[in-house]
Amino acid sequence: MEVHRCRFVDYVPSAINALAFVPNTTRPVLACGRANGDIELWNPKHEWTLEKVIPGGKNTSVEALAWAHQTVLTEDEDFWDSEKEKQAAIKKLTKTPPRLFSAGLNAVVTEWDLTSLKPKRSVDSHGGAVWCMATNHANTVLAVGCEDGCVRLFDIADGELAFIRSFDKQRTRILSLAWSQDDKTMVTGSANSSIYKWDVEQGRVVSRMTVERVPGEDTLVWSVKILSSGDIVSGDSLGHVKFWDGATTTMIQSFNSHGADVLCLAVGRDGTTVFSSGVDRKCNQYRLVDQPAPKTGKNGKNGTINGKTEMVTKWVLSGSRRFHSHDVRAMAMDESRNVDALVSGGVDVSMVVCTASQFTGINQRRIPYVPQRPVISISKSTRLMLCRQANGIKVWRLGKSASPIQPFSDFEIGAHMDLIEPQQAILEMNFRDDRNLTASAMSEDGHWIAVADIEEVKLFRIDENPSLPGQLVVKKQKSFPGIRGTGAHLLAFTPDNSRLVVASTDSTVVIVDISQWESRKFDILAKFSQHRGVGSKAAGSMDVDGEEQEVAGGDGHVETIISMAVSADGQWLATGDTKNRIFVFNLDTVQHHATLPTFDAPLTALHFHPYSPVLVVPTASNVFYVFNVETRLMSDWSREYSSDKTFPTKFLAFKDKIQGVAFNPARKHTLIVWGANYMCHVDLNLGVGDRNAALSVGKRKRDEQIKEERRKQQRERRMMKYAENGALSAPDLENGEAIVVLEKKNGKKVRKVLTDDFLETREAEVNFQVLHKFQPLMFVDFLDDNSLVVVELPFVKILSSLPPSYYRASYGT
């Protein structure tokens, strides 16, 4: 097989600036804010699944994130006519989805619509850049720390976002803040070597704590937290982590445990565990433990009370680990709902997850930094590849290798083939819009490129300049109407290049006819609203086990469309959303055709077989399902094997999710499912095989060689033993087959046939063959028979674009 290993794609993920878990009154979700303004929403279930990405924009770096999920009524008791009415209101309030707020250096506080992924409402901070933000424990007030030295409060109760008032102004910026458990006091960290304790009702400072400073320089208090006991923890630019008495505001303990700035802190719910990290990349754990009281008196004995040793509680540095290669800017911890995770992120673009309760004893999990949903599309007939960046796209023409003079099977695995035509960048388009791109697509003939953000869909025609061969002419289709001013989450062209499919931000699937572009006519052929909970019961549902399964769709729930696929013949369209609803549409009749069953695990992709109406649906549990959309039936292979009880255990144990499916035209009954760090070849004509077999191709070959060598040695030892005892003649020893008589200790004689079947056991056939040869994968697909395109993003390439990491020379180095 010919493999195009593409490492020339200019894609660099953005640094992580903020992390925040949703309150524990709702299902667990982690928000991850990046320097380019994007906010990722992760579900810890199924080994961390990416649900959505809220697109950012120019100069919208996310510096602070805050969740709010109100469960307390704000109305007076007299407002309710009965206790039943009050409890119904509380229940309704609890079921309301959580709200997400973000802020940054653009001085704007934004609440996000988590379905359309658009800003729901925005307010000015009235104080310049926002450095920190936090909600009170009742989730009714949002506090914002600003550049001008003011803390400002915003009312977020009952769906509001309105300015309330400001605290007394300080002469330095507010870098960090935290609420007390009763929401009556607040603590802020500043850029003037000070920590302030505030009375929230009066908006005034009630106490001031001062940290050490270098002469001539102010110390920056980057992070503050308030423990459940009321004590205060701070991390500053000198690398100190300090513990303060919350009542007297006096320092209890100080740890000089970091070599540089402490940028972030995370605290446990019970107030006995604290984590810190920062520029020096170390992640430290502190625990509150009981220790004997210090020795006192002339005898130097510990203090005693009634003959018992007096114990005091003290903070100790209980563990230290280093997960990152560069500055750690954010940490978040969730100890509830079986999550038990400490998450960190920073300049090196990767999120790292470790078990909070067993911080020092269990290996960490590094979430892949490659896009979880491909940003690459290809034109197989023209050998073109498009890659989407935050504010532009780039198109390459893939290289060509010399025709081999021998079959691919005769080549050694990994052998390099000479290129007769290298890859070539033929087009680069950068857009002036302030919004990051959310979707892109390229037609099969390479003449159409569509891009979209959350507000607009743009269509471009690409042709070769007739007067200058080799140069391209790009024309924006200004008459293209878009979709009533809405943007798109996904875009796709039909294989005949005549239609554009748009999954809009309002969860509507729109089919646009582009075949009459020369007359500047773009007709909207159909709009499907199934993902808005409208009209999904008009067509049949998929058959799973001989019975039709009713799937909720026309229930009024609006969900974000996250996956879409068009069949190779252009007849079928499949779309999936975050509620795991998958709808199939017939593009010939332009009607809704069927609804797939809802799976337990979230879907991660949708792909059609190139030669049949077969849809493959991978899920976050690493189980994939195969459906015939024309007959509305699950395939026989999938009925028998698509289950976490039958799939290979080692394949199910992969923490990296299936991100895509590729089909080799030369082997129509096989497919390749791939994730960030593996590719797995599956033959649908075979069963699963041994569930516990080694799946790695290289490991299995090494194991087979070791087993074969072991069998050979055992056989030789047996033969020599039998020959020494006179049980075998020389010819018998040479051909390896003989009838031997073995005499046991009790005097009985046993006749056995010594053959290869006697010495060896037949191994079960292995179907799932996994290859870990390639670097983190961004995209995998076939161009032609036995011609595979693999787009990789090595971490070394990312490191070359990052600033130098912290280094402090040790003595003697």
Side-chain angles (χ1 to χ4, degrees):
M1 182 184 295
E2 179 185 59
V3 179
H4 298 260
R5 298 186 68 176
C6 305
R7 296 186 175 184
F8 50 79
V9 175
D10 302 323
Y11 182 89
V12 179
S14 188
I16 297 173
N17 285 349
L19 294 168
F21 274 106
V22 76
N24 57 13
T25 53
T26 184
R27 71 180 185 91
V29 177
L30 173 71
C32 172
R34 294 187 179 267
N36 65 350
D38 287 353
I39 302 175
E40 301 169 354
L41 302 182
W42 292 85
N43 186 348
K45 196 176 181 181
H46 300 290
E47 294 292 345
W48 296 89
T49 304
L50 178 66
E51 291 188 346
K52 306 173 185 178
V53 178
I54 299 173
K58 187 177 180 180
N59 299 323
T60 59
S61 174
V62 178
E63 298 296 329
L65 290 169
W67 287 96
H69 187 235
Q70 183 182 348
T71 57
V72 179
L73 298 175
T74 56
E75 293 83 1
D76 296 332
E77 291 291 336
D78 299 338
F79 179 82
W80 307 104
D81 296 333
S82 64
E83 183 66 22
K84 184 177 181 181
E85 183 183 2
K86 180 182 176 181
Q87 293 302 321
I90 294 176
K91 186 176 181 181
K92 181 180 179 181
L93 191 64
T94 305
K95 290 184 177 180
T96 303
R99 303 165 65 192
L100 176 63
F101 301 90
S102 70
L105 304 183
N106 61 349
V108 176
V109 179
T110 304
E111 179 185 358
W112 295 96
D113 186 318
L114 300 184
T115 300
S116 66
L117 308 184
K118 292 182 177 182
K120 193 172 184 178
R121 56 171 66 91
S122 298
V123 296
D124 193 283
S125 69
H126 305 289
V130 176
W131 290 94
C132 54
M133 185 168 58
T135 58
N136 64 348
H137 291 83
N139 288 277
T140 56
V141 179
L142 178 69
V144 174
C146 301
E147 176 74 19
D148 67 347
C150 268
V151 175
R152 289 175 171 81
L153 303 184
F154 292 85
D155 179 18
I156 59 173
D158 303 324
E160 292 293 327
L161 179 58
F163 174 74
I164 302 176
R165 61 187 176 87
S166 299
F167 286 1
D168 290 346
K169 189 174 182 179
Q170 304 299 313
R171 294 183 178 180
T172 181
R173 68 171 67 111
I174 307 297
L175 297 177
S176 53
L177 61 84
W179 291 82
S180 64
Q181 296 295 317
D182 58 6
D183 294 335
K184 293 182 179 180
T185 59
M186 184 187 299
V187 173
T188 61
S190 303
N192 63 348
S193 312
S194 299
I195 303 170
Y196 297 96
K197 182 179 179 181
W198 300 79
D199 184 296
V200 174
E201 184 176 357
Q202 297 181 359
R204 295 181 178 180
V205 175
V206 296
S207 183
R208 176 185 174 187
M209 293 155 274
T210 304
V211 299
E212 292 94 337
R213 55 178 295 182
V214 177
E217 293 184 11
D218 283 326
T219 301
L220 309 179
V221 182
W222 288 113
S223 184
V224 292
K225 297 290 183 182
I226 299 181
L227 304 177
S228 58
S229 62
D231 291 343
I232 301 165
V233 190
S234 66
D236 58 45
S237 57
L238 296 181
H240 297 166
V241 175
K242 297 181 180 294
F243 294 85
W244 309 81
D245 187 293
T248 63
T249 63
T250 57
M251 190 176 67
I252 304 173
Q253 284 181 260
S254 179
F255 293 88
N256 187 12
S257 52
H258 289 275
D261 300 49
V262 178
L263 300 179
C264 49
L265 296 170
V267 300
R269 285 182 302 169
D270 59 0
T272 61
T273 306
V274 174
F275 295 93
S276 66
S277 192
V279 174
D280 66 351
R281 301 167 289 151
K282 286 197 303 183
C283 182
N284 292 336
Q285 182 189 48
Y286 310 87
R287 284 189 176 276
L288 188 64
V289 298
D290 292 329
Q291 291 184 344
K295 296 180 179 180
T296 58
K298 297 181 179 180
N299 296 330
K301 295 181 179 180
N302 294 335
T304 60
I305 298 178
N306 297 327
K308 295 183 179 180
T309 303
E310 182 181 1
M311 304 297 290
V312 296
T313 57
K314 292 188 66 175
W315 288 96
V316 296
L317 178 62
S318 57
S320 180
R321 300 183 69 179
R322 183 170 282 136
F323 302 131
H324 297 269
S325 63
H326 286 69
D327 304 8
V328 180
R329 293 183 177 177
M331 297 177 71
M333 183 164 61
D334 189 342
E335 301 172 288
S336 61
R337 299 161 297 196
N338 298 321
V339 178
D340 190 21
L342 174 70
V343 186
S344 59
V347 177
D348 64 358
V349 310
S350 295
M351 278 201 319
V352 174
V353 181
C354 67
T355 304
S357 61
Q358 302 181 40
F359 172 73
T360 58
I362 295 182
N363 291 337
Q364 73 277 8
R365 161 86 192 283
R366 186 175 298 275
I367 306 296
Y369 53 81
V370 293
Q372 298 294 299
R373 298 188 180 99
V375 297
I376 291 176
S377 55
I378 63 173
S379 167
K380 299 180 181 180
S381 59
T382 57
R383 302 176 66 86
L384 297 179
M385 183 174 69
L386 178 148
C387 178
R388 182 178 78 248
Q389 306 284 352
N391 301 108
I393 61 170
K394 195 169 184 179
V395 180
W396 289 268
R397 179 172 283 111
L398 296 176
K400 292 183 179 180
S401 62
S403 300
I405 57 177
Q406 55 183 341
F408 286 122
S409 58
D410 294 342
F411 282 92
E412 293 185 7
I413 296 178
H416 291 276
M417 301 179 64
D418 296 329
L419 290 176
I420 57 176
E421 292 183 17
Q423 77 277 357
Q424 180 184 7
I426 63 172
L427 177 65
E428 185 172 4
M429 300 172 62
N430 294 310
F431 303 98
R432 298 178 181 177
D433 299 324
D434 292 337
R435 302 175 298 270
N436 289 353
L437 297 179
T438 57
S440 61
M442 181 169 54
S443 62
E444 179 57 31
D445 62 2
H447 287 299
W448 290 107
I449 290 178
V451 297
D453 55 32
I454 58 174
E455 298 291 344
E456 185 182 7
V457 179
K458 299 177 182 179
L459 183 64
F460 299 91
R461 176 74 182 183
I462 315 296
D463 290 302
E464 188 171 347
N465 192 335
S467 59
L468 296 173
Q471 292 192 6
L472 300 179
V473 177
V474 181
K475 293 183 179 180
K476 181 181 178 181
Q477 303 301 302
K478 296 182 180 180
S479 58
F480 182 72
I483 315 300
R484 291 185 301 174
T486 65
H489 296 313
L490 297 167
L491 296 170
F493 288 96
T494 55
D496 61 0
N497 314 300
S498 65
R499 299 178 183 181
L500 174 64
V501 183
V502 180
S504 67
T505 53
D506 63 358
S507 300
T508 301
V509 179
V510 183
I511 313 299
V512 183
D513 183 6
I514 61 174
S515 60
Q516 303 180 55
W517 67 275
E518 292 179 311
S519 59
R520 299 182 179 180
K521 189 176 181 181
F522 298 93
D523 294 330
I524 295 178
L525 302 179
K527 292 184 179 181
F528 300 114
S529 301
Q530 275 70 18
H531 294 283
R532 295 185 60 82
V534 179
S536 63
K537 294 183 179 180
S541 58
M542 281 288 187
D543 182 59
V544 182
D545 293 316
E547 298 180 359
E548 286 193 351
Q549 177 176 347
E550 290 296 330
V551 180
D555 49 11
H557 286 284
V558 181
E559 296 292 337
T560 309
I561 302 174
I562 59 172
S563 191
M564 183 167 66
V566 180
S567 63
D569 60 1
Q571 182 180 1
W572 305 105
L573 167 69
T575 57
D577 61 27
T578 51
K579 199 181 178 183
N580 242 18
R581 300 177 299 185
I582 303 173
F583 301 107
V584 179
F585 306 95
N586 189 324
L587 295 182
D588 288 348
T589 61
V590 198
Q591 290 182 350
H592 175 224
H593 176 72
T595 302
L596 267 65
T598 302
F599 307 109
D600 294 334
L603 66 97
T604 58
L606 294 173
H607 290 273
F608 277 100
H609 193 281
Y611 298 107
S612 61
V614 170
L615 178 67
V616 179
V617 184
T619 63
S621 63
N622 280 347
V623 175
F624 59 86
Y625 301 86
V626 183
F627 290 92
N628 187 314
V629 298
E630 189 171 31
T631 61
R632 299 190 180 99
L633 294 173
M634 183 181 283
S635 71
D636 295 337
W637 188 93
S638 198
R639 287 175 187 270
E640 185 174 356
Y641 300 113
S642 292
S643 169
D644 55 5
K645 297 180 181 179
T646 54
F647 263 42
T649 54
K650 293 184 179 179
F651 182 75
L652 294 175
F654 286 166
K655 293 185 177 181
D656 295 335
K657 308 294 179 295
I658 299 175
Q659 293 181 215
V661 183
F663 301 91
N664 187 354
R667 304 182 66 183
K668 300 179 181 180
H669 58 279
T670 66
L671 57 85
I672 291 178
V673 294
W674 60 274
N677 293 296
Y678 69 88
M679 291 193 300
C680 180
H681 179 273
V682 182
D683 191 333
L684 298 181
N685 284 347
L686 301 177
V688 171
D690 184 6
R691 288 197 68 202
N692 300 315
L695 302 181
S696 173
V697 174
K699 185 176 186 302
R700 192 166 63 251
K701 288 183 177 180
R702 292 192 298 269
D703 291 345
E704 290 175 355
Q705 292 175 356
I706 293 173
K707 289 180 181 179
E708 181 64 27
E709 186 66 25
R710 191 176 298 162
R711 292 191 194 104
K712 185 177 179 180
Q713 294 175 358
Q714 290 176 350
R715 178 181 173 183
E716 290 178 352
R717 285 197 295 268
R718 284 196 181 96
M719 293 294 190
M720 294 300 297
K721 181 179 179 180
Y722 295 145
E724 291 174 358
N725 295 333
L728 290 176
S729 60
D732 295 330
L733 181 60
E734 292 176 359
N735 60 33
E737 295 184 1
I739 298 177
V740 298
V741 179
L742 304 178
E743 185 172 350
K744 296 186 176 181
K745 293 182 179 179
N746 56 10
K748 292 185 178 180
K749 294 184 178 180
V750 181
R751 295 172 60 86
K752 285 194 176 182
V753 180
L754 189 64
T755 63
D756 288 342
D757 292 335
F758 173 70
L759 296 174
E760 301 178 2
T761 58
R762 182 182 178 87
E763 293 188 5
E765 193 173 31
V766 178
N767 185 9
F768 286 61
Q769 301 181 40
V770 178
L771 188 65
H772 297 281
K773 179 180 178 63
F774 303 102
Q775 296 282 353
L777 298 173
M778 292 180 63
F779 182 79
V780 175
D781 202 358
F782 281 89
L783 282 177
D784 204 349
D785 293 0
N786 295 319
S787 180
L788 183 66
V789 176
V790 174
V791 181
E792 303 170 273
L793 187 61
F795 189 63
V796 175
K797 186 174 183 179
I798 296 177
L799 283 177
S800 64
S801 64
L802 299 180
S805 61
Y806 170 82
Y807 173 75
R808 185 176 183 178
S810 301
Y811 177 77
T813 62

